[in-house]
């Protein structure tokens, strides 16, 4: 059994690659899914004994050359290779962050200028730190203060909000694994991980797959309770002034029904917000 994160990740990736994927013949006598250990060792041009020690956690200090060779042998993408380096101990861990994460007011002011672009600011454990006006309208299940991962698995209404909940769930878990690899000692990440694992068997099963990838350009279909079906593209940006935070931005193709719906939702949210501020008993400026 693997006794290190490096060994666990190698074993999980080996199970995902078939012999034909790497130009090897497929025989009918395999007792394990994916590649055999000796096949990975051959492809990476390292000894079988050394590769076995890596998987079993008896070797914890591989060289960059070895990890590069294993990345190629296991067909890892850029995120997978980065995660391999992290669990292999070849990247420095970030400095400890403060317990409370805060959103940069200037960044929030910028996002409020985007009247056709929903935006969410996520913390290093997928906590929603802030959202612009349109972001709050499009994502009513993810208000500031919520946690995207926990809401996705523990709020039943989100299974109908996401048109393809299974895909959204798998992507969220892979993204959280990627975050955990970058900050393995972060207490908030551990807290969210523990809560999700204890309360959702589906999360625990996906977590055991050990997929690791960051958020990227992707299409997302939502079934909004007020606006109906929305088809959005997603882009994610790292916040350099606050390492670990991510600004997730969504947009719709101009001229589509979704683009029209976003304009309507933004207008309704802005009107509702103004009404709350001007309600009796509230001070207005």
């Amino acid at each position: 059994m693997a006794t290190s994160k490096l060994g666990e990740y190698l074993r999980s990736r080996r199970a995902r690659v078939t012999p034909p994927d790497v130009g090897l013949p497929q025989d009918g006598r395999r007792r394990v899914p994916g590649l055999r250990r000796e096949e990975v060792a051959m492809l990476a041009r390292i000894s079988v004994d050394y590769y076995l020690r890596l998987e079993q956690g008896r070797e914890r200090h591989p060289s960059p050359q070895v990890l590069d060779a294993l990345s190629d042998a296991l067909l890892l993408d850029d995120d997978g290779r980065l995660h391999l380096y992290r669990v292999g101990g070849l990247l420095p861990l970030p400095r400890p962050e403060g317990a409370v994460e805060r959103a940069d007011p200037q960044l929030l002011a910028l996002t409020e200028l985007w009247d056709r672009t929903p935006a969410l600011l996520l913390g290093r454990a997928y906590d929603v730190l802030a959202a612009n006006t349109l972001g709050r309208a499009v994502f009513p299940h993810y208000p500031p203060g919520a946690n995207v991962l926990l809401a996705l698995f523990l709020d039943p209404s989100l299974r109908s909000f996401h048109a393809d909940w299974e895909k959204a769930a798998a992507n969220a878990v892979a993204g959280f694994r990627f975050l955990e690899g970058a900050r393995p000692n972060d207490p908030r990440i551990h807290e969210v991980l523990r809560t999700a694992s204890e309360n959702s068997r589906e999360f625990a099963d996906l977590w055991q797959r050990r997929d690791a990838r960051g958020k990227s350009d992707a299409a997302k279909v939502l079934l909004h309770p007020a606006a109906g079906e929305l088809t959005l593209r997603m882009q994610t940006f790292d916040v350099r002034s606050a390492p670990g935070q991510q600004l997730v931005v969504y947009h719709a193709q101009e001229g589509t029904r979704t683009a029209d719906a976003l304009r309507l939702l933004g207008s309704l949210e802005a009107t509702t917000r103004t009404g709350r501020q001007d309600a009796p008993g509230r001070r207005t400026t």
Side-chain angles (χ1 to χ4, degrees):
M1 296 296 293
T3 57
S4 70
K5 288 186 176 181
L6 173 61
E8 291 170 352
Y9 189 57
L10 287 173
R11 188 171 58 178
S12 71
R13 297 309 90 185
R14 175 168 63 85
R16 297 294 182 87
V17 181
T18 66
D21 291 337
V22 291
L24 295 176
Q26 176 76 63
D27 60 59
R29 296 178 294 174
R30 291 182 174 267
R31 293 180 296 176
V32 295
L35 298 178
R36 299 183 177 103
R37 292 188 181 93
E38 55 267 27
E39 290 171 332
V40 177
M42 177 192 69
L43 292 167
R45 299 188 177 184
I46 59 178
S47 73
V48 176
D49 178 69
Y50 184 73
Y51 179 76
L52 181 61
R53 285 187 281 129
L54 288 172
E55 273 205 8
Q56 292 179 340
R58 292 185 289 124
E59 172 56 61
R60 297 170 181 262
H61 303 288
S63 68
Q65 293 80 5
V66 166
L67 293 189
D68 282 341
L70 288 171
S71 295
D72 291 340
L74 296 171
L75 306 180
L76 300 184
D77 59 15
D78 289 343
D79 284 346
R81 180 175 179 272
L82 178 57
H83 187 69
L84 183 66
Y85 263 69
R86 285 171 173 167
V87 297
L90 291 182
L91 291 178
L93 295 178
R95 292 186 177 91
E97 306 287 349
V100 179
E101 290 186 276
R102 303 187 185 280
D104 184 338
Q106 294 185 13
L107 178 61
L108 299 186
L110 172 64
T111 64
E112 284 298 343
L113 299 176
W114 303 341
D115 58 354
R116 300 183 185 180
T117 309
L120 302 178
L121 180 63
L122 303 184
R124 57 185 181 269
Y126 280 176
D127 292 311
V128 182
L129 303 181
N132 66 358
T133 297
L134 191 52
R136 292 189 294 274
V138 172
F139 295 99
H141 304 84
Y142 300 131
N147 181 276
V148 169
L149 189 78
L150 295 181
L152 192 59
F153 284 92
L154 303 183
D155 183 349
S157 66
L158 280 166
R159 294 175 184 264
S160 57
F161 180 69
H162 290 275
D164 190 345
W165 182 87
E166 289 79 9
K167 181 179 179 181
N171 286 339
V173 174
F176 202 79
R177 170 77 69 176
F178 195 64
L179 295 178
E180 191 268 345
R183 289 175 163 76
N185 301 316
D186 188 283
R188 177 55 181 162
I189 290 178
H190 286 183
E191 179 185 9
V192 172
L193 178 58
R194 181 175 61 254
T195 301
S197 299
E198 291 175 351
N199 292 279
S200 172
R201 178 59 185 269
E202 288 168 302
F203 171 84
D205 289 344
L206 285 170
W207 186 252
Q208 288 303 312
R209 290 171 53 174
R210 295 183 171 81
D211 293 339
R213 57 181 176 272
K215 288 182 176 293
S216 60
D217 176 31
K220 187 178 292 290
V221 180
L222 307 175
L223 303 178
H224 194 276
E229 183 175 306
L230 303 176
T231 301
L232 300 167
R233 299 294 303 187
M234 179 183 75
Q235 295 279 353
T236 305
F237 304 91
D238 292 332
V239 181
R240 294 192 63 185
S241 62
Q245 292 185 14
Q246 301 177 76
L247 183 65
V248 187
V249 180
Y250 300 85
H251 66 94
Q253 183 176 348
E254 196 60 35
T256 62
R257 181 195 171 281
T258 296
D260 294 338
L262 290 182
R263 281 189 282 271
L264 178 59
L265 282 172
S267 176
L268 292 174
E269 178 67 20
T271 300
T272 302
R273 188 178 184 185
T274 300
R276 288 196 298 264
Q277 293 173 343
D278 293 342
R282 291 182 179 270
R283 291 184 58 186
T284 58
T285 56

